[in-house]
Amino acid sequence: MDFKGRDIISIRDFKKDEILYVLRMAKGMEEKKLPELLKGKVLATLFFEPSTRTRLSFESAMSKLGGKVIGFADTSITSISKGESLSDTIRIVEGYSDAIVMRHPVEGAARLAAEAASIPIINGGDGSNQHPTQTFLDLYTILKTKKTLNNLHIGFLGDLKYGRTVHSLVDAMSHFNARMYFISPESLRMPEDLLEELKAKGIKFVEETDLLKVSGSLDVLYNTRIQKERFPDELEYKKVKGAYRLDKGFLSHIKPDLKILHPLPRVDELSPELDSTPNAVYFEQAKNGIPVREALLALVLGAVK
Ligand code: CP
């Protein structure tokens, strides 16, 4: 399979066999040290929104494979603050690098950047739309901890309206005969168009506001932060703030081998008292960003096939 030169904009752009291929490549990356693989290559990280995990794990992945990183995480110190357009910024940065990872608050910005660029663009999150590299590491974590991606009962909890990690993972899990449980406040339900797509694909799902009504059926629970920054009206945020909080009491309502994932950062929806339980895999999940992003970089830069 040849990924050289390919953009990573949406998980929807990947067929099932391509997703599985990336996950196998990530496993290989975790097992090997390849400090020369991307020697001479430069990755640009353009972050128009805050990030800890995505930006730093891409930087770490590139460094571990022998490549270099340039970029910014604060647009106020760039010419964007003077009014330079996104497409001009991309056209300039592609002259300095071999691939670009970009996070942007506007849905569709990554696709726009890919149209302007002739080098691979990797979407590090565009608004509430997609976060495909997070999805690859979420799938990798599920596969590692549940030993399969097939026929799982997976719950999505919290901010299902604005959560790009949820939207991407739902798209990906629809390849694997998942049964899905969408648990959220009424105002943060999954977007209707995504539910219609699941219906059209014949994917079984339920919507619920009460987590405890479905928690006993779950193999995986994907918890998410309610994203204050996405709400147009702070009053609407205050109505749903603190709607769900997982703590040790929750463990008496689950199957013993439930795995709890969270893309992080967390605020108040996930008590630290769960961190040391065998159910909590979110720190391992974040760490899996390294082999997964190593694999993606090596693939799009044509260093492996
Ligand atoms: N999961 C995730 O995207 O984290 P960051 O916002 O820290 O990159």
Side-chain angles (χ1 to χ4, degrees):
M1 230 172 260
D2 195 355
F3 283 71
K4 187 177 178 184
R6 190 161 169 181
D7 301 309
I8 302 173
I9 305 300
S10 167
I11 200 72
R12 290 166 177 244
D13 300 335
F14 291 82
K15 299 188 192 90
K16 180 179 177 179
D17 61 335
E18 292 175 325
I19 291 173
L20 293 172
Y21 183 74
V22 171
L23 300 183
R24 280 198 299 279
M25 190 62 72
K27 186 165 185 289
M29 289 291 170
E30 195 169 3
E31 289 164 359
K32 288 179 228 144
K33 282 201 180 356
L34 299 163
E36 305 262 302
L37 191 67
L38 295 182
K39 197 171 172 194
K41 300 288 185 191
V42 176
L43 174 70
T45 58
L46 311 187
F47 278 68
F48 296 76
E49 265 193 348
S51 167
T52 298
R53 280 145 289 271
T54 308
R55 187 170 65 85
L56 296 183
S57 63
F58 263 114
E59 290 191 9
S60 176
M62 196 65 186
S63 302
K64 281 171 184 275
L65 297 179
K68 297 259 192 276
V69 181
I70 60 169
F72 58 77
D74 176 3
T75 53
S76 69
I77 56 158
T78 70
S79 289
I80 293 154
S81 66
K82 300 178 204 162
E84 187 162 48
S85 68
L86 176 63
S87 56
D88 276 4
T89 302
I90 294 293
R91 287 170 68 187
I92 296 303
V93 174
E94 76 169 343
Y96 307 151
S97 57
D98 300 289
I100 295 173
V101 182
M102 187 180 88
R103 171 171 290 184
H104 200 282
V106 175
E107 290 187 21
R111 190 78 69 192
L112 190 77
E115 279 163 19
S118 55
I119 61 172
I121 298 289
I122 302 174
N123 182 7
D126 62 327
S128 300
N129 185 31
Q130 283 271 323
H131 193 347
T133 68
Q134 175 74 39
T135 304
F136 279 114
L137 75 90
D138 293 341
L139 293 170
Y140 189 72
T141 305
I142 294 170
L143 184 57
K144 258 178 102 173
T145 57
K146 299 302 294 183
K147 311 295 176 213
T148 183
L149 290 172
N150 296 314
N151 308 317
L152 293 170
H153 288 232
I154 176 165
F156 295 88
L157 175 67
D159 184 351
L160 311 188
K161 179 177 180 181
Y162 297 116
R164 59 191 172 204
T165 62
V166 170
H167 302 160
S168 289
L169 186 57
V170 165
D171 282 335
M173 288 305 292
S174 67
H175 289 296
F176 299 100
N177 195 37
R179 170 131 195 169
M180 304 191 193
Y181 300 76
F182 299 122
I183 310 128
S184 72
E186 188 62 35
S187 63
L188 294 178
R189 288 177 59 226
M190 279 287 285
E192 203 58 52
D193 57 328
L194 297 185
L195 295 179
E196 287 303 321
E197 282 180 21
L198 291 179
K199 281 183 202 160
K201 288 182 197 164
I203 311 285
K204 292 196 178 114
F205 67 85
V206 293
E207 291 188 275
E208 184 51 75
T209 54
D210 184 350
L211 171 62
L212 299 189
K213 281 196 180 154
V214 296
S215 55
S217 304
L218 303 179
D219 303 305
V220 174
L221 177 58
Y222 195 85
N223 192 7
T224 60
R225 173 176 67 95
I226 294 181
Q227 301 174 83
K228 185 179 180 189
E229 68 276 19
R230 304 263 180 242
F231 282 73
D233 177 353
E234 196 174 340
L235 272 180
E236 290 304 310
Y237 168 70
K238 284 188 175 153
K239 283 184 197 162
V240 290
K241 180 179 181 295
Y244 303 99
R245 178 176 167 83
L246 304 187
D247 57 18
K248 276 208 168 155
F250 176 63
L251 301 182
S252 57
H253 299 275
I254 61 169
K255 291 189 203 169
D257 58 352
L258 171 78
K259 297 300 176 199
I260 302 171
L261 280 76
H262 192 306
L264 304 175
R266 64 178 158 188
V267 185
D268 54 5
E269 68 283 357
L270 189 52
S271 168
E273 68 188 26
L274 287 177
D275 295 357
S276 56
T277 67
N279 309 96
V281 297
Y282 30 88
F283 286 108
E284 179 184 345
Q285 179 188 357
K287 200 169 169 189
N288 288 335
I290 300 288
V292 166
R293 289 175 171 132
E294 284 179 341
L296 291 169
L297 288 168
L299 283 164
V300 301
L301 289 170
V304 292
K305 270 194 191 173

